[in-house]
Amino acid sequence: MAPSKERLPVMADVARLAGVSHQTVSRVLNDHPNVRAETRTRVMDAIDRLGYRRNLVARALVTRHSRTLGVVSFDTTLYGPASTVYGIEQAARAAGYFVSIVSLKSIDRAGVRDALDYLAEQAVDGIVVVAPQRSAARALADLPAGIPVVAVEGGEAGDVSTVSVDQVEGARLVTEHLLGLGHETVWHVSGPSDWLEAEGRIQGWRAALSDAGREAPEVLPGDWSPRSGYEAGRRLAGMEGVTAVFVANDQMALGVLRAFAEEGVRVPGRISVAGFDDIPESEFFSPPLTTVRQDFAAVGRRSIEVLLRRIETREQWVREAFVVPPELVIRASTSPA
């Protein structure tokens, strides 16, 4: 007897159509070796005919694995977080896992806790939290018991393992590049103060200037948007002695370039400009933008590797912190002073 159109097929329907027991269907679904090839084929044919989809939560109760990983992210409209989530999703699929993504606008502890609780209820095997903001990293102090968690760009996120790009080294590389071109100092347009990435880029910029015996100019604050870069660029265009600017992301660098063009400031003739991220459009800016490339695919692979290791070891787990190196990409927006 076929299931009615009012309900979805269940495992008992598959067993009835295939002429086998409920236990045999379960063994086929869980790849149990002690099933004859003929029986396995008959069960799979019944599954296809009925359009049966197994209940992952019920399966997790039996196998203790749902083959699904949770991802919590923030503001995926930005290139960095969006690329990070994409890299995580691709790495998870390559490892044979599905991904359930929760994107939050609220960065407070309650919002993070709700997202983690929701994913826990979906019986995910583990969770990756993209935590580029300090408030998000603090929220990881209160995690659901028993669920492996890895933080991406999470700073010192308590006892949680972390995977991050070396923001300090990336900023150091680009600042040293500009100083090496003969610029007396390098100005900086920063990201928002609560972002760990913005903080790391300021640290690297200041460290490079200090090592070279140069004073760090005042930081011009931005919010990752081209408009904030445009506003900073208009300020910089009116200042005396500015010959090099390191902008904390490529979108703000685009705004800086627009402001300089409107004010008649030649790039790199009068002022060299460098960014961070290497978004796909940066090589087509006018001029093509010198920037720092982040390997988001490597971040995704490593975060999934760490999470799967955490899932497998459980009680033997120890905190790990992995750093992915950045790469300086030199283009036409920087030149000798």
Side-chain angles (χ1 to χ4, degrees), residues 37 65 77 79 109 116 144-145 154 165 250 257-258 278 281 300 326-327:
H65 290 287
T77 59
Y79 177 76
R109 178 168 294 188
L116 294 173
V165 174
D250 292 351
L257 291 173
R258 168 70 181 273
D278 194 28
E281 298 84 1
E327 176 188 356

Side-chain angles (χ1 to χ4, degrees), residues 154-215:
E156 295 296 325
D159 292 330
V160 178
S161 290
T162 59
V163 178
S164 60
V165 174
D166 193 336
Q167 308 293 332
V168 174
E169 178 61 17
R172 180 188 287 274
L173 285 173
V174 71
T175 305
E176 289 176 346
H177 163 67
L178 290 165
L179 292 174
L181 291 172
H183 296 280
E184 184 63 27
T185 192
V186 178
W187 290 73
H188 182 53
V189 181
S190 74
S193 59
D194 186 46
W195 283 67
L196 295 165
E197 294 164 324
E199 183 179 297
R201 293 169 199 179
I202 290 175
Q203 289 177 6
W205 164 72
R206 282 182 171 149
L209 290 175
S210 177
D211 289 348
R214 313 293 170 83
E215 290 290 329

Side-chain angles (χ1 to χ4, degrees), residues 76 89 142 164 173 211 330:
T76 50
E89 185 175 14
D142 186 22
S164 60
L173 285 173
D211 289 348
I330 300 175

Side-chain angles (χ1 to χ4, degrees), residues 89-325:
E89 185 175 14
Q90 294 303 302
R93 289 186 178 277
Y97 282 79
F98 292 100
V99 174
S100 179
I101 300 174
V102 178
S103 182
L104 297 179
K105 289 185 178 180
S106 173
I107 315 300
D108 56 28
R109 178 168 294 188
V112 176
R113 179 71 200 205
D114 286 346
L116 294 173
D117 286 345
Y118 169 81
L119 290 170
E121 290 172 0
Q122 307 309 304
V124 297
D125 292 337
I127 299 172
V128 180
V129 181
V130 182
Q133 288 141 307
R134 187 166 296 283
S135 54
R138 286 195 297 265
L140 296 178
D142 186 22
L143 294 173
I147 299 181
V149 175
V150 170
V152 175
E153 300 294 349
E156 295 296 325
D159 292 330
V160 178
S161 290
T162 59
V163 178
S164 60
V165 174
D166 193 336
Q167 308 293 332
V168 174
E169 178 61 17
R172 180 188 287 274
L173 285 173
V174 71
T175 305
E176 289 176 346
H177 163 67
L178 290 165
L179 292 174
L181 291 172
H183 296 280
E184 184 63 27
T185 192
V186 178
W187 290 73
H188 182 53
V189 181
S190 74
S193 59
D194 186 46
W195 283 67
L196 295 165
E197 294 164 324
E199 183 179 297
R201 293 169 199 179
I202 290 175
Q203 289 177 6
W205 164 72
R206 282 182 171 149
L209 290 175
S210 177
D211 289 348
R214 313 293 170 83
E215 290 290 329
E218 67 169 304
V219 174
L220 281 73
D223 62 10
W224 299 135
S225 71
R227 175 167 294 280
S228 68
Y230 176 80
E231 292 169 354
R234 295 196 62 175
R235 286 185 58 193
L236 289 164
M239 295 180 180
E240 293 293 332
V242 177
T243 66
V245 181
F246 160 43
V247 189
N249 79 339
D250 292 351
Q251 281 99 339
M252 290 193 300
L254 176 62
V256 169
L257 291 173
R258 168 70 181 273
F260 284 175
E262 289 183 357
E263 298 294 327
V265 175
R266 291 178 296 110
V267 177
R270 177 181 154 193
I271 301 179
S272 288
V273 177
F276 205 109
D277 280 340
D278 194 28
I279 64 175
E281 298 84 1
S282 62
E283 66 176 310
F284 300 102
F285 285 3
S286 182
L289 185 67
T290 292
T291 187
V292 177
R293 177 177 297 152
Q294 302 191 76
D295 192 342
F296 295 109
V299 171
R301 288 194 303 271
R302 184 52 62 92
S303 62
I304 294 301
E305 289 171 5
V306 173
L307 184 59
L308 295 184
R309 187 157 56 246
R310 172 76 174 93
I311 291 169
E312 292 163 3
T313 56
R314 294 284 176 175
E315 299 304 322
Q316 293 76 36
W317 170 81
V318 293
R319 184 184 185 277
E320 300 174 281
F322 290 93
V323 177
V324 176

